Amino acid sequence: MATTYFSKRNLHFLLHEVFNAEELTQYEYFSAHDRETFNLVIDSATYIADTLMYPYLKEVDQNQPELKNGQVTVHPKVKEFMHAMGEAGLIGAGFSFEQGGQQLPQMISSLVGFILMAANNGMMYSGLTSGAAHLITSFGSPALNEFYVPQMLAGKWQGTMALTEPQAGSSLSDVTTSATPQPDGTYKIKGQKVFISAGDHDAAENIVHLMLARIDGAPKGTKGISLFVVPKYRPDETGAFVDNDVQSTGVYHKMGQKGVPAMHLTMGSNDNTVGYLVGEPHQGLPYMFQMMNEARIGVGMTAAAIATAAYYAALQYARERPQSRRLNEKNRLDAPQTPIINHPDVRRMLLFQKSVTEGSLALLLEAARLYDISRVAEGEEKENAFLLLDLLMPVAKSFPSEMGVQSVSQSLQTFGGYGFTEDFPVEQLYRDIRITPIYEGTTGIQAQDLLGRKMTMKGGKAPQLLFAEISKVITDASLFDELKPYGDQLAGELKRTQDVFVSLMPYAMKGDTERYLADATLFLELFGIVVVAWQWLKQAVVARQALLTRNPEGDELAFYEGKIHTMKFYFHYEVPKTLGLAQRLKDPEVLTIVSEKELAL
């Protein structure tokens, strides 16, 4: 098994050298922190990952949750993990001091998630709890906050997001779970939910579902959906906990992430499931969407983390596995075999993985930084940060997910036949990462969001802000002879992206939405390639400055030179893919829209 699953050096490089995370402490909300506290939190997460998670990666995968007699059992280490996370204050890392949290920036709490998921994404219980608790603190009553949140942040009670129903899927407007008002202000909940991650298990004393449902008589569609706290156990009139009639009727056996039970839940079978309204009636979906940016950063981080773990496993294997000779020495049969890392095609696969994983992580930290600024800044700074975040969010969720799947595939390929076996972790990681393009809105949904809404909101202000930010990095790169050609190339890619968008706009303007969005996923792919190129050029500028001013040696010299080399690989191997995407997007011939004349499918 690989001995490394992420690079702390790269985390510190991005956090302190590229994004200068300490600048966030100028805002009053984050002023209690500094570089030292940021690093201490990362060290704490690393310790938990090293001791309670990574050693049990395979064991958690091979011992799936089981549903017996209405109770779900999970790996015993899950309880230890949740207890440790609660003790360390990491479940509530991003919560305010008043809420019992550490009031840390999203940049830091996101990196905590990255470290944990790189170690063992089959133990993703704490992130689910944090997200559910955040909904309660944001929109719930003081009574709900006081009763539920402390136990959740302590790691004693599990939190879930109970949204999906058998007949609805991603179409939340079709949610049918009902909520009937009661004289005491509570609601009787009746319905079913499916694919509820960590929806029931024996490592928690209680399960707290944040559940979407319709109050009787509510409007149809998304405007009639409300949000409720629906616990597995609720207090009765005496304060004693009683069963809340939330029945575990099935556990899905999944392709990956097998350590986390995905539950089929049935509420109200005995007409005795009590729910507690969160916030105002009929505001459930807006509440969920207000939390969606944080959730989508989390999914992107999970994908980047899994792909990173796979990359370091492949890198170690390539350094240790001897096979054949260098291509120019093929005929020297008496010469010793060379490690496969010396073969150009293996290096191509490794550089692809490095460029995808480290580019994804940089993009996600950019998004997390904007999230933080949008929360604590004021005026124009706040508005611009939110617009940029909103624009980048479909890419921050989809690029790490889609490209992460490809990256882990290349990791598996690096191992050859061994990669397909259980002797190494990549076959598991390949299964695990495949869900990430589906979580929190599929890639197709993200693409329609980007092209259908984000590119045009507020008169196109968001892409204007983004292109201005990218242009600043292009200007910085122009100061270095080695980097100027890449800045010029990126400027050309901005022009190409604009040209594609302009070519599609006439369809939107005449109301032909289906034609306008027919290849939205390809536009998202093109846009993502360009955005990550921006992140790589930014890293290369910082690395070049470090080489000139610090005169590093040894591992530090190799680190900075490796950054510039990987940037060049990304620009030479990945960026040219925009040529084909642009050609397809500007092609007037469309083959995917249903036609009465076309019945091939």
Side-chain angles (χ1 to χ4, degrees):
M1 189 165 175
T3 55
T4 301
Y5 53 93
F6 79 100
S7 167
K8 188 178 286 188
R9 178 66 185 91
N10 186 50
L11 262 58
H12 285 171
F13 170 72
L14 292 172
L15 197 61
H16 302 305
E17 298 178 59
V18 176
F19 293 107
N20 298 312
E22 302 93 283
E23 291 181 356
L24 290 172
T25 62
Q26 69 181 296
Y27 299 100
E28 177 63 27
Y29 187 79
F30 299 126
S31 61
H33 297 290
D34 55 23
R35 180 175 182 144
E36 183 179 358
T37 62
F38 291 166
N39 289 342
L40 284 172
V41 171
I42 290 172
D43 290 344
S44 180
T46 302
Y47 176 78
I48 291 173
D50 283 346
T51 58
L52 294 176
M53 300 180 74
Y54 191 58
Y56 303 97
L57 176 66
K58 181 179 290 189
E59 197 174 304
V60 168
D61 178 69
Q62 293 179 340
N63 294 273
Q64 297 186 50
E66 292 188 15
L67 173 61
K68 292 182 178 179
N69 301 319
Q71 178 63 55
V72 179
T73 58
V74 296
H75 194 284
K77 281 293 172 182
V78 173
K79 189 169 187 176
E80 288 185 48
F81 161 69
M82 288 294 285
H83 177 75
M85 289 290 290
E87 284 281 302
L90 294 180
I91 300 176
F95 288 67
S96 70
F97 294 136
E98 292 76 16
Q99 295 163 348
Q102 297 194 48
Q103 209 157 298
L104 282 161
Q106 180 71 18
M107 289 188 77
I108 308 304
S109 55
S110 291
L111 280 181
V112 168
F114 174 84
I115 294 167
L116 301 178
M117 293 300 94
N120 190 337
N121 76 100
M123 296 172 73
M124 56 184 286
Y125 296 81
S126 59
L128 296 165
T129 299
S130 177
H134 198 176
L135 274 172
I136 298 174
T137 58
S138 298
F139 308 113
S141 66
L144 288 177
N145 272 273
E146 292 170 11
F147 189 79
Y148 288 99
V149 174
Q151 300 293 333
M152 296 170 77
L153 299 190
K156 296 179 180 180
W157 292 2
Q158 174 70 52
T160 83
M161 301 292 195
L163 317 181
T164 308
E165 296 181 5
Q167 80 292 339
S170 297
S171 180
L172 295 178
S173 61
D174 295 318
V175 163
T176 60
T177 296
S178 64
T180 302
Q182 302 299 300
D184 63 355
T186 64
Y187 292 77
K188 287 289 184 71
I189 307 295
K190 195 176 187 67
Q192 296 184 59
K193 297 291 180 179
V194 294
F195 304 134
I196 309 306
S197 296
D200 190 16
H201 61 86
D202 61 348
E205 298 171 10
N206 201 359
I207 312 292
V208 183
H209 303 289
L210 272 291
M211 188 175 294
L212 293 181
R214 288 184 190 282
I215 298 174
D216 293 347
K220 294 182 179 180
T222 57
K223 294 181 179 179
I225 297 175
S226 299
L227 183 65
F228 298 87
V229 167
V230 183
K232 179 179 180 178
Y233 301 110
R234 60 176 170 83
D236 64 10
E237 297 79 4
T238 68
F241 281 88
V242 297
D243 186 272
N244 195 32
D245 194 19
V246 180
Q247 297 183 17
S248 296
T249 49
V251 57
Y252 293 96
H253 293 287
K254 303 175 292 180
M255 175 179 171
Q257 293 192 338
K258 295 186 177 184
V260 181
M263 299 305 303
H264 184 160
L265 303 175
T266 301
M267 288 70 64
S269 294
N270 300 311
D271 196 31
N272 198 31
T273 304
V274 176
Y276 308 90
L277 182 66
V278 176
E280 298 297 321
H282 317 317
Q283 295 299 309
L285 214 54
Y287 292 161
M288 292 300 305
F289 282 145
Q290 287 186 52
M291 311 302 296
M292 202 58 75
N293 283 341
E294 184 180 344
R296 286 174 175 167
I297 291 173
V299 173
M301 278 290 181
T302 297
I306 297 170
T308 296
Y311 163 63
Y312 279 103
L315 180 63
Q316 179 174 322
Y317 182 80
R319 286 171 171 165
E320 296 173 351
R321 167 75 159 132
Q323 185 171 305
S324 192
R325 286 102 190 145
R326 298 282 295 272
L327 292 176
N328 288 342
E329 301 174 349
K330 273 286 194 180
N331 295 327
R332 292 184 55 195
L333 300 181
D334 57 335
Q337 291 185 321
T338 190
I340 63 172
I341 197 170
N342 293 327
H343 297 314
D345 193 56
V346 173
R347 296 185 74 83
R348 176 192 60 79
M349 291 190 287
L350 292 170
L351 281 165
F352 171 74
Q353 294 169 62
K354 181 178 173 66
S355 70
V356 166
T357 57
E358 295 183 5
S360 292
L361 183 55
L363 172 60
L364 288 158
L365 285 176
E366 182 81 65
R369 184 184 70 86
L370 292 168
Y371 179 91
D372 288 324
I373 294 173
S374 71
R375 288 173 60 203
V376 300
E378 297 179 355
E380 186 179 16
E381 183 185 21
K382 182 183 187 75
E383 179 186 356
N384 289 348
F386 183 79
L387 281 173
L388 270 172
L389 173 66
D390 226 19
L391 177 66
L392 289 176
M393 195 46 53
V395 187
K397 189 273 174 182
S398 63
F399 185 94
S401 301
E402 291 286 358
M403 297 305 291
V405 172
Q406 294 185 37
S407 181
V408 180
S409 178
Q410 290 294 287
S411 175
L412 194 151
Q413 187 78 8
T414 304
F415 280 84
Y418 285 110
F420 203 64
T421 71
E422 295 182 355
D423 295 349
F424 294 93
V426 287
E427 67 84 23
Q428 176 185 336
L429 298 175
Y430 191 49
R431 291 185 282 106
D432 288 345
I433 198 171
R434 188 58 189 84
I435 187 63
T436 59
I438 298 172
Y439 276 149
E440 300 297 344
T442 63
T443 302
I445 290 172
Q446 302 299 329
Q448 292 184 25
D449 184 39
L450 174 66
L451 186 56
R453 189 170 73 88
K454 302 296 179 61
M455 290 294 293
T456 57
M457 63 183 178
K458 293 198 177 264
K461 185 177 180 180
Q464 292 172 20
L465 289 169
L466 175 63
F467 289 0
E469 289 296 312
I470 296 175
S471 295
K472 291 177 186 177
V473 176
I474 292 172
T475 299
D476 291 341
S478 69
L479 302 176
F480 303 97
D481 291 341
E482 184 182 13
L483 303 184
K484 186 178 185 303
Y486 299 97
D488 294 342
Q489 184 180 352
L490 183 53
E493 292 302 327
L494 289 183
K495 176 67 165 55
R496 191 191 318 281
T497 304
Q498 290 173 316
D499 289 345
V500 168
F501 180 63
V502 168
S503 73
L504 293 172
M505 275 306 294
Y507 300 109
M509 294 175 69
K510 67 182 181 181
D512 191 354
T513 305
E514 192 165 18
R515 173 62 184 89
Y516 176 56
L517 298 178
D519 284 328
T521 299
L522 301 186
F523 183 83
L524 174 64
E525 184 179 351
L526 182 151
F527 198 80
I529 291 171
V530 174
V531 166
V532 173
W534 161 48
Q535 291 300 315
W536 266 115
L537 190 61
K538 183 187 295 189
Q539 292 183 71
V541 167
V542 174
R544 176 49 61 198
Q545 289 171 334
L547 288 170
L548 290 175
T549 59
R550 301 182 191 176
N551 296 315
E553 299 178 351
D555 290 344
E556 281 294 283
L557 175 63
F559 177 84
Y560 289 120
E561 289 182 337
K563 280 291 180 183
I564 295 172
H565 188 77
T566 309
M567 179 278 295
K568 291 179 178 179
F569 176 89
Y570 186 84
F571 271 77
H572 285 280
Y573 280 77
E574 294 302 304
V575 174
K577 293 176 181 177
T578 62
L579 290 167
L581 290 166
Q583 181 179 350
R584 171 55 249 164
L585 284 160
K586 296 169 75 172
D587 191 337
E589 184 77 17
V590 178
L591 302 172
T592 56
I593 295 177
V594 175
S595 167
E596 292 180 3
K597 298 179 181 179
E598 185 271 302
L599 299 174
L601 298 181

